[in-house]
Amino acid sequence: MMTVHEVSNLAGVSIRTLHYYDEIGLLTPAVTTEAGYRLYDDANLERLQQILLFRELEFPLKEIRKIVDSPSFDRKAALEQQIQLLTLKKERMERLISFARQIQMNGGNAMRFDAFDTKKIDAYAEEAKKAWGHTEAYREFTEKTADYSPERHESLGADMMDIFARFGTMMDMEPSDSRVQAQVKQLQDFITANYYTCTRQILAGLGQMYAAGGEMTENIDAAGGKGTAAFAARAIEVYCR
């Protein structure tokens, strides 16, 4: 565990900012002591990294929270897209530096404006945002969860992990077994009740994401045992056929 002062020094973020992130439910400490001290664990630090990367890409805090709280958020895929966006920003900055040097050398006579063009970055950012959830399901998610407290989000996350834990107890069964398929239906109904209408098409995509590796796979396997994510994905595939 790290104190708010230690996290502030490590991340280069002011203590006031960390307090604000806690107040708006963007980064809630793992523990708040009776004396009011905030303590952060490794999961908090990973979430802070995502927040700061999205901030570098100039995403509003409200939008960042919706993205990282989404049950379909894939940290690995987000990192790949963030790297691409940051690379595009770096290339643009290098063009601007080169352009400024040309102006310096030519005495201010370089009448060009192509270095200021952001079309490529804007286009990629728009595609990335679509991938992060700017769909009808995402809009429903934001509306349904707008008033959820951090505690509510945490409780629902725990409930979903309980569903996956039950998948873990079924791994000796065939994915097509009626009991396993009933568990898939329970997962689908849970998502629909608490987040967005989980159609079979959306559920099939989630199943692929669950078994794709990365943080989501690790969390599911931690809940139900190694192999749970892959087993749940196979059961979802059968269900969605």
Side-chain angles (χ1 to χ4, degrees):
M1 292 284 189
M2 298 181 68
T3 67
V4 67
H5 292 275
E6 290 171 333
V7 174
S8 174
N9 291 331
L10 176 67
V13 177
S14 71
I15 293 173
R16 183 177 179 181
T17 296
L18 292 171
H19 286 178
Y20 180 65
Y21 286 175
D22 184 13
E23 290 169 9
I24 64 174
L26 181 59
L27 183 67
T28 304
V31 175
T32 301
T33 68
E34 292 183 2
Y37 293 108
R38 294 170 169 87
L39 299 177
Y40 297 81
D41 60 13
D42 288 345
N44 290 142
L45 295 180
E46 288 183 4
R47 185 177 173 99
L48 179 58
Q49 287 177 337
Q50 280 296 321
I51 292 167
L52 295 179
L53 280 169
F54 280 120
R55 287 297 290 147
E56 285 294 327
L57 295 171
E58 301 175 8
F59 278 64
L61 293 179
K62 186 177 180 180
E63 189 165 354
I64 294 172
R65 179 183 169 184
K66 290 174 182 175
I67 291 170
V68 298
D69 281 343
S70 170
S72 61
F73 177 65
D74 186 333
R75 182 170 178 266
K76 183 178 179 181
L79 276 172
E80 291 174 356
Q81 291 168 327
Q82 287 163 345
I83 290 169
Q84 181 61 33
L85 273 171
L86 290 168
T87 300
L88 291 173
K89 288 172 72 74
K90 171 177 173 286
E91 291 172 353
R92 179 173 181 268
M93 187 59 65
E94 288 173 346
R95 289 197 304 272
L96 285 169
I97 292 170
S98 176
F99 179 63
R101 285 176 175 159
Q102 288 179 27
I103 293 175
Q104 185 181 50
M105 292 174 60
N106 297 332
N109 294 322
M111 292 294 103
R112 293 171 39 238
F113 294 89
D114 54 295
F116 299 96
D117 190 356
T118 63
K119 290 188 182 70
K120 189 174 181 181
I121 295 174
D122 294 342
Y124 188 88
E126 187 60 30
E127 288 303 312
K129 286 181 180 181
K130 288 179 182 177
W132 285 322
H134 281 212
T135 60
E136 184 60 40
Y138 180 78
R139 283 189 289 273
E140 185 181 352
F141 168 78
T142 58
E143 291 172 3
K144 187 171 286 190
T145 63
D147 297 326
Y148 283 8
S149 66
E151 292 75 20
R152 174 69 169 156
H153 279 291
E154 185 176 347
S155 175
L156 287 174
D159 289 343
M160 182 172 280
M161 286 302 107
D162 285 343
I163 292 174
F164 284 118
R166 287 194 286 277
F167 274 113
T169 67
M170 299 177 172
M171 284 194 285
D172 59 340
M173 305 178 189
E174 289 296 323
S176 58
D177 188 288
S178 61
R179 290 165 291 180
V180 179
Q181 290 298 292
Q183 189 65 18
V184 175
K185 181 66 164 58
Q186 183 178 354
L187 173 63
Q188 183 185 34
D189 290 346
F190 177 86
I191 295 171
T192 295
N194 296 289
Y195 296 113
Y196 49 79
T197 302
C198 186
T199 64
R200 292 205 175 202
Q201 182 180 5
I202 290 176
L203 184 62
L206 290 173
Q208 293 174 4
M209 191 182 299
Y210 294 154
E215 186 176 17
M216 189 171 292
T217 301
E218 292 170 4
N219 289 341
I220 292 172
D221 283 355
K226 187 173 178 59
T228 299
F231 177 75
R234 290 196 300 273
I236 290 170
E237 182 182 359
V238 172
Y239 179 87
C240 292
R241 278 195 229 132

